[in-house]
Amino acid sequence: MPASPGLADAQPGPLSRLRRRLARPVDGAALAAFRVLFAALLVIGTLRFAARGWIAAMYIDPAYHFPYWGFAWVRPWPGVGMYLHFAALALAGLALALGLRPRLAALVCFVLFTHAELIDKAAYLNHYYFVSVVLLLLVFLPTRADRPAPAWALYALRLQVGLVYGFAGLAKLRGDWLLRAQPLRTWQAAHADFPLLGPLLARPETATFMSWAGAAFDLSVPFLLLHPRTRVPAYLALLGFHGLTGALFPIGMFPWLMSASALIFFPPGWPRRFLRALRRPVPADSPPVPADSPPVPADIPALSRLGLLALTLHFTGQFALPLRHHLYPGDHGWSEEGWRFAWHVMLVEKAGTVSYRVRDPQTGRVFVVHPEDDLTAQQAAQMAIAPDMILDYAHHLAAQFAARGVPGVEVRADAFVAYNGRPGARLIDPTVDLARERDGLGPKRWILPAP
């Protein structure tokens, strides 16, 4: 009996074809190497953080912490709790590197690392955010070297790493970076005594060249790493770029993290080839190494609709967050609206001072408060240039005065910021009572325009 024409001619739809294509098996070795290297750097970074006394300096010593909007409930643990917190993070990172229940280990690392990251905005760094995002992905990715992985896992990591460079490059397409070579001109002038390169770094034309080269590098390197003919030169350039920036600027583990993460652009079986080359030399007349393939046959099911939806939502957020600053008026480098979680890497040099005038409306008496008397040096420096942190501390002052029996005070800020080589200018409208303003996602009318 002939088959029904409707069934015989049925073809899978575009969504089904996409899901099956994303489920194509690839060698899991590259994903496993990514997990091992990333987790090893997480452990090293955690131990480095503890060894330098930063656990106490950032989480125990401060009397006040600047909360992220919506996350004021995230607080440091009392007593020795933060030391135990970071010890648990190091152990979970070690388990992740060794492949011991890797998805559970990645989940524990994500929760512990992100908890510490959310305690205080003064400690924000772009690569902290990168670590959290990658750990979240590793919770769901198969990263075992002894079995094939679906292609979507490889593509997800490549896209995540590529977005860091892509948005960092787009953020550099601004007048200060390309036309004024700021802040590189300011930073490089301070490195005139750098070995061999010092005199060259002090020249303004060097800053201009490096500004344009940095933007071109960020915008092109993910695509160059994807192409077989340009992959190795691009990776060598990447190592040189991160090596130089790491030597010149205090950016911590970021160069190491990005150098290790960029290896995900190499063919999926590169770790096997690398280990094979270490074990024995390849004779000159040996046949070429065949294309990498999964170590064992596998029938990986198509990516589920729920899984495809989760990936879509994740990367929609990763594309949207770096672009949200376009929703705010003015120069976002000055106002910092939409600045965090957007890969705006090394774009501004700002230094500021801030004091508060606290007025008791009942008596008319005015108290001048200098926040550096109550904050750590890092908190004070970060707060003086960040309007949302200035607002946070204004509310903290109002609460302090209320606790002393002086409720309903008015809090105004005198904040001055020098921005990318410009003279200092007022950041906050000094006539606005910040105690009556609320943080949120909308534009803040009390931030003055950039000079």
Side-chain angles (χ1 to χ4, degrees), residues 254-267:
F254 184 75
W256 297 95
L257 284 169
M258 298 311 298
S259 297
S261 298
L263 289 170
I264 197 64
F265 287 94
F266 281 75

Side-chain angles (χ1 to χ4, degrees), residues 206 208 435 437:
T206 302
T208 301
E437 299 294 329

Side-chain angles (χ1 to χ4, degrees), residues 170-405:
L170 287 175
K172 290 179 173 65
L173 303 182
R174 56 202 308 265
D176 270 11
W177 185 270
L178 296 178
L179 303 181
R180 299 180 64 239
Q182 288 287 5
L184 281 186
R185 178 175 294 188
T186 299
W187 292 342
Q188 290 180 195
H191 287 82
D193 58 348
F194 191 82
L196 299 179
L197 298 178
L200 184 62
L201 293 174
R203 299 180 66 88
E205 55 266 31
T206 302
T208 301
F209 170 79
M210 292 186 67
S211 294
W212 282 80
F217 170 83
D218 283 338
L219 289 170
S220 63
V221 73
F223 302 100
L224 296 175
L225 288 170
L226 283 170
H227 198 281
R229 292 186 177 180
T230 56
R231 181 175 294 128
V232 171
Y235 187 71
L236 293 176
L238 182 146
L239 292 179
F241 175 83
H242 287 304
L244 180 61
T245 55
L248 288 175
F249 311 118
I251 51 179
M253 297 292 292
F254 184 75
W256 297 95
L257 284 169
M258 298 311 298
S259 297
S261 298
L263 289 170
I264 197 64
F265 287 94
F266 281 75
W270 75 262
R272 300 183 192 282
R273 294 186 175 190
F274 179 73
L275 293 176
R276 190 184 306 128
L278 289 180
R279 291 193 189 102
R280 54 186 173 82
V282 179
D285 57 351
S286 62
V289 179
D292 296 299
S293 59
V296 293
D299 182 18
I300 299 177
L303 184 64
S304 69
R305 291 177 182 268
L306 181 61
L308 183 59
L309 176 62
L311 276 178
T312 302
L313 290 176
H314 172 80
F315 283 108
T316 298
Q318 291 301 303
F319 275 95
L321 281 175
L323 296 174
R324 73 190 191 281
H325 67 85
H326 292 292
L327 300 175
Y328 299 98
D331 184 345
H332 62 286
W334 169 260
S335 68
E336 299 202 1
E337 294 183 291
W339 184 260
R340 300 185 189 94
F341 314 114
W343 314 122
H344 294 153
V345 183
M346 299 176 64
L347 285 182
V348 299
E349 167 63 23
K350 293 162 63 176
T353 61
V354 60
S355 61
Y356 291 89
R357 289 174 284 115
V358 182
R359 179 178 179 274
D360 180 0
Q362 300 298 323
T363 65
R365 186 178 179 185
V366 176
F367 305 86
V368 177
V369 178
H370 299 281
E372 60 268 20
D373 296 336
D374 187 43
L375 300 174
T376 66
Q378 180 186 8
Q379 286 181 314
Q382 294 297 318
M383 184 206 66
I385 62 175
D388 61 338
M389 294 174 66
I390 293 174
L391 176 67
D392 291 337
Y393 198 76
H395 283 267
H396 173 64
L397 287 177
Q400 278 191 324
F401 274 83
R404 297 171 187 166

